[in-house]
Amino acid sequence: MLRKLANVTVLAHRLNDDNSADAFLADAQRYRRELLAHCYRMTGSLHDAEDLVQETYLRAWKAYQGFEGKSSVRTWLYRIATNTCLTALEGRARRPLPSGLGTPSSAATDEIAEHHEIPWLQPLPDSAADPDDPSTIVGTRDSVRLAFVAALQHLSPRQRAVLVMREVLQWKAAEVAGAIGTSTAAVNSLLQRARAQLDAVGPSEDDAIDPPDSPHAQNLLRNYMAAFEAYDIDKLVELFTAEAIWEMPPFDSWYRGPQAIGDLSRYKCPAEEAGDMRFIATTANGQPAAAMYMRNRESGRHEAFQLHVLAIGKDGISHVVAFMEQALFEKFGLPASL
C-alpha cells in the first residue's frame, strides 16, 4: 500500500511539473515571431526557421525544470534557439542569392539555367517576423533586410551567431559567451572577423532604402506593378536606378542596369501582352514586395508565379529579387491563383 501511495505521489508531482511546463511554454509563445526572425537570420530559410523554432520550444519544454530564472525567459529561449541553429547548420552550405555566387552579371540574351540543387536564400513575410510590440526587439526591419541576411550567409555559423546577438539583440560579450559556450575573448575575436567579412561583402545599395510604408516606396511599387500589368517595359525601365540589380533564384544569372533588366523582361518573360500579369502588393524582409500572377492560357486563370522583393531608395528601385518558389505564396497568406 505504501509503495502504491508513493507511486501516486510521484505521478502527481510529474503531472504538476508537466502542467507547469505547459503553462510556462504557453506564456512563452509571445516570443515566437521574434524567435522566427532570429532563426531566419541565422539560416536564411523561412522553412528551416519555422522548424527550428518548433525545436526550440520542444527543447525548452524538456529543459523547463532546469530553468533557474537567472535570466529572463526571453533570453533563455534565445540561447536555446541560437544553439539549435548552430547544431542544424553544421556541415550545411550557405544560402546565397545569384549575385552572391561570385559570377559576373549576365546579358539578357544569355542562356539561363535553373539550379534547384542550390539551397537559395528565401524571403521572410513581415507578418511572421514583427512582434506585437516592436520595442521588444531591436532593429527588426533593418536586421531582416535581404541584403543583410544575404551578407550574413558569408559568415561562419558561429560568426553569424555572435554578430546577430551582439549587434541586433544588443547582448553583452559575456552574455554571448555564456550562450554559445565560449570565452569573452573568443566572442570579441569572432565579432571582429565577422565585421571585417561583412564590410567586404555587406549591403551597399540597400543601405538607405525606404520602408515599405513610406509614400515614396508605395508610389514606386504601384508604378512598378502597373508597368508590368500593362506590359510597358519602357515605363518599367524608368523606375530603376543606374546600377540596379535583378535576380531570380533558382536561376543563377543576375542582371545589372535598367537596360539589361528591360531586355530580360522583353525576351525571357513568358508574358506576351498586357493583362498576362497581375500583382498583389505585400511586404517582405521589411521591404516593399509584390506577388506576381501569370496568366495560364489554357485555364484563363492567373496563377502564382514569382514573389518580388524590392529595395527602393530616393533615386528609384535599386534591387529586385524575384523568388520563383510558388510554395512561398501560402506562407505569405497569398492565394494560389486569381
Side-chain angles (χ1 to χ4, degrees):
M1 177 63 72
L2 291 176
R3 181 176 296 177
K4 288 183 179 179
L5 288 174
N7 289 339
V8 170
T9 301
V10 169
L11 179 59
H13 281 302
R14 286 178 179 171
L15 289 173
N16 287 334
D17 289 344
D18 286 348
N19 289 336
S20 297
D22 290 342
F24 167 78
L25 287 181
D27 181 61
Q29 290 299 319
R30 56 183 164 161
Y31 304 112
R32 177 175 287 272
R33 286 197 287 177
E34 59 179 281
L35 288 172
L36 179 68
H38 179 62
C39 293
Y40 171 74
R41 293 184 202 99
M42 288 290 295
T43 63
S45 166
L46 172 59
H47 300 314
D48 288 351
E50 290 175 331
D51 291 342
L52 289 167
V53 170
Q54 286 294 102
E55 178 66 19
T56 294
Y57 277 102
L58 179 60
R59 291 188 182 191
W61 185 83
K62 290 180 177 179
Y64 167 69
Q65 296 305 322
F67 176 59
E68 299 175 350
K70 293 180 179 179
S71 65
S72 68
V73 171
R74 180 172 176 265
T75 297
W76 185 61
L77 288 171
Y78 267 103
R79 290 176 62 140
I80 297 172
T82 301
N83 284 287
T84 301
C85 289
L86 289 173
T87 299
L89 288 168
E90 290 178 2
R92 286 196 187 182
R94 68 184 179 91
R95 286 184 171 269
L97 289 174
S99 59
L101 294 177
T103 55
S105 60
S106 301
T109 53
D110 294 343
E111 290 296 320
I112 60 175
E114 295 184 64
H115 289 275
H116 293 282
E117 75 280 5
I118 296 175
W120 297 105
L121 188 71
Q122 293 179 323
L124 179 72
D126 282 358
S127 59
D130 290 340
D132 294 324
D133 179 5
S135 67
T136 63
I137 188 167
V138 180
T140 301
R141 179 175 283 169
D142 290 347
S143 67
V144 294
R145 281 181 177 166
L146 271 181
F148 178 69
V149 178
L152 286 177
Q153 292 294 303
H154 290 271
L155 308 180
S156 72
R158 286 174 71 82
Q159 286 177 334
R160 214 176 296 169
V162 166
L163 187 131
V164 168
M165 296 174 85
R166 288 284 283 120
E167 300 201 344
V168 176
L169 301 179
Q170 301 287 299
W171 283 25
K172 297 177 181 178
E175 293 175 313
V176 177
I180 64 174
T182 190
S183 66
T184 301
V187 165
N188 290 332
S189 177
L190 285 164
L191 180 61
Q192 184 178 13
R193 295 200 301 273
R195 284 172 173 165
Q197 182 72 3
L198 211 62
D199 287 342
V201 301
S204 55
E205 81 286 343
D206 292 354
D207 283 347
I209 68 174
D210 288 1
D213 52 357
S214 74
H216 177 63
Q218 290 182 355
N219 182 58
L220 264 181
L221 179 63
R222 282 194 297 269
N223 292 341
Y224 176 86
M225 294 188 296
F228 265 117
E229 291 180 340
Y231 203 49
D232 188 342
I233 305 304
D234 291 335
K235 185 65 176 177
L236 179 69
V237 165
E238 295 174 1
L239 304 176
F240 289 98
T241 63
E243 294 297 314
I245 290 175
W246 175 284
E247 43 196 333
M248 47 183 185
F251 294 99
D252 60 354
S253 304
W254 61 282
Y255 307 85
R256 185 188 295 275
Q259 190 62 49
I261 295 170
D263 288 345
L264 179 73
S265 300
R266 286 188 179 95
Y267 305 132
K268 293 294 196 298
C269 179
E272 299 176 4
E273 59 185 5
D276 280 351
M277 294 174 280
R278 291 178 61 188
F279 282 83
I280 295 178
T282 183
T283 58
N285 296 80
Q287 299 170 222
M292 175 194 277
Y293 293 80
M294 189 69 66
R295 176 153 49 198
N296 181 324
R297 297 197 175 277
E298 292 184 2
S299 68
R301 297 179 64 82
H302 286 77
E303 298 173 349
F305 186 68
Q306 288 178 331
L307 186 69
H308 296 196
V309 182
L310 288 70
I312 295 177
K314 62 182 179 63
D315 296 325
I317 299 170
S318 61
H319 202 153
V320 175
V321 183
F323 294 93
M324 295 188 67
E325 186 177 346
Q326 285 75 38
L328 290 169
F329 278 63
E330 181 180 356
K331 298 291 185 181
F332 276 74
L334 295 163
S337 63
L338 301 178

